[in-house]
Amino acid sequence: MTLVAVGLNKRYGPTRAAGDVSITLRTGTVHAIVGENGAGKSTTLRMLGGALRPDSGEMTLNDAPYAPLSVADAAARGVALVHQEITINRSLTIAENIFIGALRRYARPLGIMKRGMMARQAQDALDRIGVKISVSTNIDRLNLGELKCIEIARAISSDPDTLLLDESTAYLDHREVDAVLTVMQELKSQGMTIGFVSHHLSEVLAAADDLTILKDGRFVGSFAAAKIAPDEIHRLMVGRDLSHGTYPPRPSPTVPAAPAVLRVREAAVGRELNDLSIEVRRGEILGLAGLKGAGAEALFAGIVGDEKLRHGVLHLAGEEYHPQTPRTAWHDGIAHLPGDRGNEGLIAGFSVLDNLVMARPPTRGPFFDRSRARAMSADLIKQIGIRTASADAPCRSLSGGNMQKVVLGKCLAVGPTLLLLNNPTRGVDMGARVEIYGLIRQKAAEGLAILLSSEDMPELIGMSDRLVVLRQGVAAHEFATLDGVEEHDIVKYMT
Amino acid sequence: MNEISTVTASGKIVAPAEGWKVPRIELLRRGFPLIFLVILVAVFTAMSPRFLSLENLSTVLEQGTVLLVAALGMTFIIMAGSIDISVGAIVAVSALVAAVTSTSLGVWAIIPAIAVGSVCGCLNGLLLAVGKVPSFIATMGTMVVYRGLVLYFTRGAPVSIGDDSFLDAYSGITYGLPHEVVIGLILAAVAWAIINYTVFGREVRAIGGGERVSILTGIPVMRVKILMYVLLGALCGMAGLLQGARTMAATSQLGLGLELDVIASVVVGGTPLTGGLGSITSTMLGVLIITLLSSGMNMGGVDPYFQNIIKGIVLVTAVFITIDRKKIGIIK
């Protein structure tokens, strides 16, 4: 089944979401669509899958005209789309989730479900994509990658010839990404045509036969994956050579070592962090690697007082420190950038200014000092390079990268001595990443102690001065330097 | 689709970074109260020419003051994304306290009235902030308790207010200005200043905009929540006092159903129930609309039993237009 699209266009008001995109999904191959955030990858895939209707452009499926009006319409033609978001309902069983769109097929008179039959067919679908999940598994025990596989099984259950997988794997960790890749290879071996969207280049090169590069909503070109070098892909995606310069250079280590800002002794928080001892020094970026739930998030929650320490002792600037609430933590010079920007980092409906001064609003007597707030936010916008129409524009009018810069600005506005970063560049495009990395490094050079937790391995390797790998709530390994350390050196301590 | 950017669940954004324009639905939300007011005035003037007379408008202002004072407090609560349906009962409790103490304290009955209102509000705040009981349920319970207190102590009999200094202070007229209207406007100015010029006002708004963000950013969420309920309680205390002075008595029926008018005023003014937004001027506009609606329907001879139907429809329509559906996610 060959799916050909020529000159697809999609606009939202003045914004070009996808411009003049031409793409050919060859039968039985894996075709990756790559680009920075906002390049139009998902838009393109969704047009192919019937979730969006292009403003203009032609599509054919095996030389027959193809213009799906909906996802269901596309599915009827044998094209199935797996959305970017996880759409699993955790209060249903695995089988029910797989057949969520066709539950009536399993209804007896009076609406009683044929559970046995549904479970058998669900298991068949899971077996077909080659994942080792039993339908009787409690759905709460599955990780995000496995949930993604269930979504794939759902898409496969309509028996399509073409699978479109919108997988911006920013939210999946390495093991989970591997599970999805394995499924893709399995389906390809069964002769299925696959189109997929991805963030990570290494993954693209491992899986794709062909790739199409998009940039800023424009079509850059299609290439055979074997014939294009990673650096070249990067250059075409970003429009500049990033082989050197993504990560700012590390300063040479100072001797003697700077004093410790935060010392954690045998700390345990919640169920995830069991017994961790670390310290981070002035001007140092300490990386924390680990799978989701390995303890970094719990550690942050414990340090800022969002969750109680079960046991253990913290020292802040040499003195014993008892976290109480996030409020007292900010007061004591600890700034925290949470991992979930939309729900924890900023209020998207509020203006850039409101978000920037939220942690410590300037006051004059009992009143909010608007003119100082204005000066403060103007400074931060300039210093951090937040691209916004004005300080009064709502944050939701900004790109993901600029929103994240606002959260970072909120942290820096209080002049912290310790900065906790949880996936600071999640959902942030490459251009903004480089700026954020530069800023973080600059702040470290000015003496800020930084704890950096991330699921992005290259980021951890590129930014950390020292790295601790967490596994099941304890330190599994420490890298005193990251010179010459490769991703797989770290990953092997993670599981 | 319009110019507003769309944020997907993973935080990915499909957006223009510059040239952000106010989306059309937002303009409708802002313009709706004013349009509604104009239509209302036009319809009622057509029905009864006396409607626009100075005399009637001055009566409308007097009638609207009790509603305004309570709605000022409710604006904070709704901006923070909470609700309080015990306001009518707090007004009744406070009116009773004012009536009982006015014989001995005269003008100074204001102190026990506001104190009792504040205590009632504080209890609501504690239930919500410390007890983590959803505000709707918590205040539904306290509504019954507060109203029950009034019934228990009065046995259903009205307590009349005869103290002249009290009545003169809170329902008299000086230079043609009704005292309660002046008090209402001063309180509105204070509430306006609190929302726009204090950190507390910003914190209330932040809690409504995103509670989890507020907690993690170090806003004293618990304290702010309790404080805003105390503020609402105090304003309801004042409203009860004014209502008692107007009717020269506190009855067990006083303020019955007031919560509907108060919430409707705030929402019809354009403050969405989803929180994060709101202003005192909107609330004043909403109070004007709700009061004119009642007054106009009375003058126009609309069946009193039919009036509640119209009020309910207005409330639901206002919620329909103002609510931010992206924020509530699933409607249950």
Side-chain angles (χ1 to χ4, degrees):
Chain A
M1 187 78 74
T2 303
L3 175 55
V4 181
V6 180
L8 295 182
N9 283 289
K10 184 74 191 173
R11 300 187 77 88
Y12 295 115
T15 312
R16 179 181 55 209
D20 206 20
V21 176
S22 298
I23 188 166
T24 301
L25 304 189
R26 294 181 295 131
T27 309
T29 63
V30 174
H31 192 123
I33 303 172
V34 297
E36 298 185 270
N37 259 342
K41 308 182 297 281
S42 291
T43 306
T44 301
L45 203 71
R46 291 173 69 199
M47 287 193 287
L48 297 178
L52 277 179
R53 291 175 68 180
D55 298 332
S56 63
E58 298 291 325
M59 290 190 279
T60 58
L61 194 60
N62 277 353
D63 300 327
Y66 169 72
L69 299 172
S70 66
V71 176
D73 198 11
R77 298 283 300 274
V79 179
L81 175 67
V82 177
H83 284 280
Q84 181 179 11
E85 293 83 21
I86 301 273
T87 60
I88 296 293
N89 185 333
R90 284 181 181 270
S91 58
L92 301 179
T93 66
I94 292 177
E96 284 163 348
N97 267 299
I98 290 177
F99 295 113
I100 189 82
L103 288 178
R104 294 198 171 278
R105 219 195 295 160
Y106 300 96
R108 291 194 179 93
L110 295 179
I112 297 165
M113 302 286 290
K114 298 176 191 166
R115 295 192 169 277
M117 180 179 158
M118 187 162 76
R120 270 196 312 281
Q121 294 191 0
Q123 190 67 63
D124 287 347
L126 287 171
D127 292 346
R128 179 171 169 207
I129 62 172
V131 293
K132 292 179 184 59
I133 302 173
S134 158
V135 278
S136 57
T137 314
N138 183 341
I139 206 154
D140 285 327
R141 300 172 64 108
L142 302 183
N143 64 35
L144 284 179
E146 289 169 322
L147 293 179
K148 201 82 212 174
C149 293
I150 290 182
E151 299 209 18
I152 297 173
R154 178 195 289 164
I156 295 304
S157 69
S158 68
D159 212 10
D161 308 298
T162 303
L163 179 72
L164 303 174
L165 184 62
D166 193 347
E167 183 43 272
S168 46
T169 32
Y171 274 84
L172 302 188
D173 66 39
H174 275 261
R175 207 172 35 168
E176 294 164 353
V177 171
D178 285 345
V180 175
L181 289 183
T182 310
V183 168
M184 275 175 35
Q185 294 300 343
E186 172 64 29
L187 289 173
K188 179 187 163 188
S189 73
Q190 293 172 20
M192 195 173 289
T193 307
I194 296 170
F196 85 110
V197 161
S198 177
H199 272 312
H200 299 306
L201 270 184
S202 51
E203 167 191 325
V204 169
L205 292 172
D209 300 302
D210 300 335
L211 60 89
T212 291
I213 300 175
L214 304 179
K215 177 176 181 295
D216 300 332
R218 275 185 305 104
F219 175 74
V220 176
S222 288
F223 306 88
K227 290 188 181 156
I228 183 164
D231 284 352
E232 178 71 0
I233 302 174
H234 239 136
R235 197 182 58 75
L236 291 171
M237 272 169 57
V238 185
R240 61 181 170 275
D241 190 357
L242 280 175
S243 58
H244 50 87
T246 304
Y247 303 103
R250 284 187 189 86
S252 45
T254 48
V255 184
V261 170
L262 177 78
R263 197 175 289 142
V264 178
R265 283 283 165 267
E266 292 159 6
V269 179
R271 280 187 312 166
E272 288 181 0
L273 191 71
N274 293 318
D275 188 7
L276 184 70
S277 300
I278 54 164
E279 62 177 47
V280 55
R281 288 186 281 268
R282 219 179 103 81
E284 179 187 47
I285 302 176
L286 175 63
L288 297 173
L291 301 174
K292 255 188 283 333
E297 258 183 25
L299 174 67
F300 286 5
I303 293 173
V304 301
D306 189 34
E307 280 187 50
K308 293 231 176 321
L309 289 181
R310 275 194 286 121
H311 59 76
V313 185
L314 304 187
H315 284 85
L316 190 65
E319 286 178 35
E320 201 162 304
Y321 173 69
H322 301 281
Q324 291 167 328
T325 62
R327 181 173 181 74
T328 55
W330 283 91
H331 190 263
D332 293 329
I334 302 174
H336 176 206
L337 182 143
D340 181 350
R341 182 167 60 237
N343 291 314
E344 301 189 324
L346 55 65
I347 302 178
F350 282 16
S351 70
V352 172
L353 180 145
D354 283 351
N355 276 291
L356 282 174
V357 303
M358 191 176 285
R360 193 170 297 166
T363 53
R364 192 175 47 206
F367 297 111
F368 176 70
D369 190 337
R370 206 172 284 269
S371 55
R372 243 171 72 212
R374 198 154 282 287
M376 253 173 80
S377 58
D379 270 358
L380 287 163
I381 288 170
K382 201 166 140 218
Q383 183 198 346
I384 299 175
I386 299 167
R387 271 179 283 284
T388 172
S390 90
D392 299 317
C395 283
R396 71 158 70 92
S397 71
L398 308 184
S399 70
N402 279 297
M403 281 203 261
Q404 194 68 306
K405 287 187 203 164
V406 171
V407 186
L408 199 54
K410 177 174 85 173
C411 292
L412 297 177
V414 303
T417 52
L418 173 66
L419 178 60
L420 312 179
L421 298 172
N422 183 354
N423 286 292
T425 60
R426 180 183 272 170
V428 170
D429 63 69
M430 194 55 82
R433 272 173 188 239
V434 173
E435 293 175 275
I436 289 175
Y437 292 145
L439 186 69
I440 293 174
R441 180 50 77 187
Q442 180 202 329
K443 287 294 157 186
E446 290 169 13
L448 187 59
I450 298 173
L451 275 175
L452 170 67
S453 158
S454 180
E455 282 156 21
D456 187 329
M457 284 293 145
E459 171 175 304
L460 277 176
I461 295 170
M463 288 301 296
S464 306
D465 295 320
R466 204 151 54 83
L467 182 89
V468 172
V469 186
L470 300 181
R471 185 176 61 214
Q472 292 174 356
V474 297
H477 189 79
E478 181 175 331
F479 293 89
T481 168
L482 287 131
D483 292 335
V485 174
E486 303 262 349
E487 268 186 52
H488 56 84
D489 299 329
I490 299 172
V491 171
K492 74 178 178 217
Y493 292 105
M494 287 170 36
T495 51
Chain B
M1 279 298 244
N2 47 38
E3 295 82 356
I4 195 162
S5 47
T6 327
V7 186
T8 64
S10 59
K12 213 175 107 91
I13 192 151
V14 192
E18 273 153 37
W20 189 84
K21 284 188 204 144
V22 180
R24 224 168 286 151
I25 184 76
E26 180 67 12
L27 286 176
L28 178 66
R29 198 184 65 76
R30 286 183 198 168
F32 166 77
L34 215 52
I35 297 166
F36 189 70
L37 184 66
V38 170
I39 294 173
L40 214 58
V41 171
V43 169
F44 286 140
T45 311
M47 281 167 78
S48 159
R50 262 197 319 122
F51 182 74
L52 269 186
S53 70
L54 204 62
E55 187 196 349
N56 183 49
L57 289 184
S58 133
T59 316
V60 164
L61 285 184
E62 286 177 37
Q63 285 172 344
T65 300
V66 171
L67 184 57
L68 171 66
V69 173
L72 294 174
M74 186 65 83
T75 309
F76 287 85
I77 303 294
I78 290 182
M79 260 173 47
S82 295
I83 198 80
D84 187 339
I85 55 173
S86 70
V87 284
I90 299 181
V91 166
V93 172
S94 312
L96 176 64
V97 169
V100 170
T101 56
S102 65
T103 45
S104 53
L105 295 178
V107 174
W108 299 108
I110 188 175
I111 292 172
I114 288 182
V116 164
S118 307
V119 170
C120 291
C122 186
L123 194 62
N124 286 339
L126 288 171
L127 279 172
L128 168 71
V130 182
K132 314 279 183 213
V133 182
S135 59
F136 186 86
I137 298 298
T139 59
M140 187 161 27
T142 56
M143 169 177 75
V144 179
V145 171
Y146 299 156
R147 180 70 65 185
L149 282 173
V150 175
L151 284 165
Y152 179 78
F153 284 112
T154 63
R155 299 277 149 190
V159 178
S160 60
I161 300 174
D163 187 86
D164 285 335
S165 65
F166 178 88
L167 292 176
D168 185 55
Y170 301 117
S171 66
I173 293 178
T174 304
Y175 301 123
L177 291 172
H179 292 174
E180 66 262 43
V181 174
V182 175
I183 292 172
L185 291 178
I186 290 172
L187 290 177
V190 172
W192 178 80
I194 293 178
I195 284 186
N196 289 297
Y197 292 102
T198 68
V199 174
F200 171 74
R202 301 177 65 80
E203 288 173 341
V204 167
R205 211 159 64 82
I207 292 172
E211 186 162 345
R212 185 82 187 125
V213 179
S214 302
I215 293 171
L216 288 180
T217 309
I219 288 172
V221 171
M222 217 182 265
R223 192 197 308 165
V224 171
K225 279 182 172 174
I226 294 171
L227 211 56
M228 73 191 186
Y229 273 91
V230 170
L231 184 66
L232 172 62
L235 285 163
C236 284
M238 191 65 208
L241 174 111
L242 294 176
Q243 182 66 39
R246 258 180 73 76
T247 51
M248 296 168 66
T251 69
S252 57
Q253 301 297 302
L254 188 145
L256 204 62
L258 184 69
E259 55 280 352
L260 174 76
D261 281 359
V262 172
I263 294 167
S265 300
V266 176
V267 176
V268 169
T271 299
L273 283 174
T274 30
L277 289 171
S279 77
I280 291 299
T281 42
S282 305
T283 295
M284 291 173 78
L285 196 58
V287 168
L288 201 57
I289 289 172
I290 295 295
T291 314
L292 282 176
L293 189 66
S294 304
S295 147
M297 286 194 297
N298 281 331
M299 288 182 72
V302 177
D303 182 345
Y305 294 111
F306 194 72
Q307 292 189 6
N308 272 341
I309 299 177
I310 294 182
K311 272 194 202 167
I313 291 173
V314 169
L315 174 62
V316 174
T317 311
V319 173
F320 177 80
I321 291 177
T322 55
I323 207 160
D324 181 354
R325 287 173 180 75
K326 255 189 243 133
K327 221 158 138 186
I328 37 183
I330 299 165
I331 298 166
K332 285 186 177 164

